[in-house]
Amino acid sequence: MTPAANGKPQAAGESDSERLQLSACRFALPPLALYVHIPWCVRKCPYCDFNSHAAGPELPEEAYVDALLADLDADLSQVHDRRLTSIFFGGGTPSLFSAKALGRLLEGVERRVAFEDDIEITLEANPGTFEQAKFRDYRALGINRLSIGIQSFQEDKLKALGRIHDGGEAIRAADMARQAGFDNFNLDLMHGLPGQSLDEALADLRQAIALAPTHLSWYQLTLEPNTLFWSQPPQLPEDDILWDIQEAGQALLAAEGYAQYEVSAYARDGRRARHNLNYWTFGDFLGIGAGAHAKLSDPHGRILRTWKTRLPKDYLNPEKPFQAGERLLERDELPFEFLMNVLRLTEGVPAALFTQRTGLPLAELDKARHEAETRGLLQTDPQRLTATREGQLFLNDLLQFFLP
């Protein structure tokens, strides 16, 4: 063996171009999605570690849409003739933007990158920003899915979380979404809230189910660094209560027809979030907007992660670049990067997807895979990569086997 340019051994006589050709033979460009980050909120919640900032009296909609389209222009070389399978407006609170601004943005995006005929376009919204006419206009633009940040229906819990809506507004938001023409919407709901009992958590879940969303994101509150809750932690439920909430909640969701397909995602038949599934199956995504991240592959199998300028004032400054950094993933990082995503899925993925998404032979996983199977964290199935029930509960322990 002789050393390759990156310090890895390669077969004697195999040139870099030959090695890339071999990789390309077993690598096909994955589906492509677009993430659009809109960083403003009415106010910052104490648990939130996303790149969000309190909005001023006027949002710079026109300037920000101009910047988003210029940002996308700079990334067009990464598209490689692919069509967008999904678009996700995240934040922040994207529903603070007018339908006129979002319409101009969508028109500009489609002029640059073609849409699949059945493209899924999701907008995050908070109940405190719901206006019937505005959301009807969003639907007319082609936005066909909403993700509504409920978190809880109980007044004391909403107050503890710093939310701007009350329980009644949360219920009305779901009804207004349906009246505006959205037959596909997600509700975001938290459990393990400050002082929450099992009965309170299940009451929230029952109220959410009663609103008949097609999808539920139901996840435990965690204390994240760089948040108010991290520096001033509230009193959260004990571990045994958290465990009871998790088990009882999952049983209730299953009984009501919401199948769990990812760690915290539950859906009616045919209503899984396609944008998120693209993340979890190691697909590609462009990221535009302040602090947006992207994962992009080229036809040779090289995979690049990029991230954009974080602060809105810097992102809007024409003297500053949109992109803040990039990193090319090394060969020995790919198993962990791939499995960190796909093992979140309760059904896992076909084992062949590893080669399709990374260009590496499945044999690269053999040693770590055997160790994880022996520990009972990975299912013993040569045709699939799937965590066991224990592996899903202790996903970080499972992923340790695949670290470079």
Side-chain angles (χ1 to χ4, degrees):
M1 303 290 282
T2 58
N6 62 1
K8 305 288 181 193
Q10 66 186 48
E14 181 189 88
S15 69
D16 286 342
S17 62
E18 288 170 334
R19 182 167 49 83
L20 287 173
Q21 287 171 3
L22 286 170
S23 175
C25 287
R26 56 177 178 256
F27 180 85
L29 283 171
L32 182 67
L34 172 66
Y35 175 77
V36 182
H37 192 73
I38 297 179
W40 292 283
C41 286
V42 173
R43 69 179 179 219
K44 183 83 171 178
C45 295
Y47 60 85
C48 178
D49 68 335
F50 295 123
N51 182 30
S52 58
H53 307 265
E58 290 189 17
L59 288 174
E61 286 189 340
E62 290 295 309
Y64 197 70
V65 169
D66 288 341
L68 288 168
L69 293 174
D71 189 359
L72 180 58
D73 283 334
D75 287 346
L76 290 180
S77 63
Q78 309 283 356
V79 172
H80 301 296
D81 296 321
R82 287 174 289 180
R83 298 165 74 89
L84 289 176
T85 61
S86 64
I87 298 173
F88 193 99
F89 291 97
T93 306
S95 53
L96 291 177
F97 266 40
S98 68
K100 179 181 177 182
L102 294 183
R104 186 164 76 87
L105 176 59
L106 282 171
E107 288 175 6
V109 171
E110 191 170 14
R111 283 198 302 269
R112 290 159 172 83
V113 189
F115 291 3
E116 291 287 1
D117 291 341
D118 63 345
I119 188 170
E120 175 192 87
I121 305 178
T122 302
L123 178 82
E124 284 188 337
N126 286 338
T129 64
F130 260 76
E131 302 167 19
Q132 188 70 58
K134 185 178 183 181
F135 279 78
R136 192 179 298 115
D137 290 342
Y138 288 155
R139 185 68 188 90
L141 296 176
I143 296 171
N144 51 24
R145 185 174 183 271
L146 291 179
S147 183
I148 307 172
I150 299 292
Q151 313 315 350
S152 178
F153 295 94
Q154 297 164 30
E155 304 305 322
D156 60 328
K157 301 297 184 286
L158 289 167
K159 184 176 180 180
L161 292 172
R163 304 298 288 173
I164 64 170
H165 66 272
D166 60 30
E169 286 175 314
I171 293 170
R172 288 192 294 275
D175 291 336
M176 289 170 64
R178 194 175 287 104
Q179 292 167 18
F182 289 95
D183 62 355
N184 189 15
F185 65 92
N186 169 68
L187 298 182
D188 261 5
L189 196 66
M190 286 185 179
H191 60 88
L193 305 181
Q196 190 176 50
S197 67
L198 171 62
D199 287 343
E200 288 174 325
L202 293 180
D204 263 350
L205 201 49
R206 289 190 184 96
Q207 176 60 78
I209 291 168
L211 296 174
T214 49
H215 191 284
L216 273 163
S217 297
W218 187 62
Y219 51 93
Q220 183 179 320
L221 171 65
T222 56
L223 305 185
E224 303 291 347
N226 303 315
T227 65
L228 182 61
F229 272 5
W230 182 262
S231 58
Q232 301 174 30
Q235 186 66 46
L236 300 183
E238 299 291 336
D239 286 346
D240 57 345
I241 296 176
L242 293 174
W243 180 260
D244 290 344
I245 290 172
Q246 184 76 27
E247 288 209 315
Q250 288 179 331
L252 174 60
L253 286 162
E256 295 291 339
Y258 291 91
Q260 183 180 16
Y261 68 99
E262 188 267 346
V263 171
S264 58
Y266 303 78
R268 297 282 195 191
D269 285 347
R271 295 299 196 171
R272 296 181 178 190
R274 282 190 275 150
H275 187 85
N276 289 343
L277 274 172
N278 187 59
Y279 292 149
W280 297 324
T281 54
F282 211 51
D284 275 2
F285 54 96
L286 296 157
I288 59 174
H293 286 240
K295 177 250 172 186
L296 300 160
S297 309
D298 73 14
H300 298 297
R302 290 177 292 234
I303 299 175
L304 187 71
R305 289 203 180 273
T306 68
W307 52 96
K308 301 299 173 64
T309 298
R310 182 175 176 83
L311 294 178
K313 68 179 181 62
D314 293 334
Y315 185 82
L316 288 168
N317 185 344
E319 302 300 317
K320 297 190 180 233
F322 293 119
Q323 186 160 303
E326 64 176 43
R327 188 171 69 83
L328 191 67
L329 296 182
E330 298 288 344
R331 176 191 175 105
D332 62 358
E333 295 178 280
L334 292 176
F336 179 83
E337 290 275 339
F338 175 82
L339 292 163
M340 177 176 62
N341 289 280
V342 304
L343 291 180
R344 293 180 63 90
L345 296 168
T346 57
E347 298 170 358
V349 295
L353 190 68
F354 175 73
T355 296
Q356 293 170 22
R357 292 288 190 264
T358 68
L360 300 178
L362 190 58
E364 292 270 335
L365 301 180
D366 282 354
K367 182 176 182 295
R369 195 175 175 185
H370 175 71
E371 292 173 351
E373 289 170 353
T374 301
R375 285 280 304 276
L377 299 176
L378 195 67
Q379 290 186 18
T380 305
D381 182 348
Q383 302 304 317
R384 295 193 70 80
L385 293 165
T386 312
T388 62
R389 172 64 175 161
E390 185 177 0
Q392 290 171 9
L393 291 172
F394 301 100
L395 189 55
N396 288 339
D397 293 340
L398 170 53
L399 291 172
Q400 296 299 310
F401 290 104
F402 300 95
L403 282 170

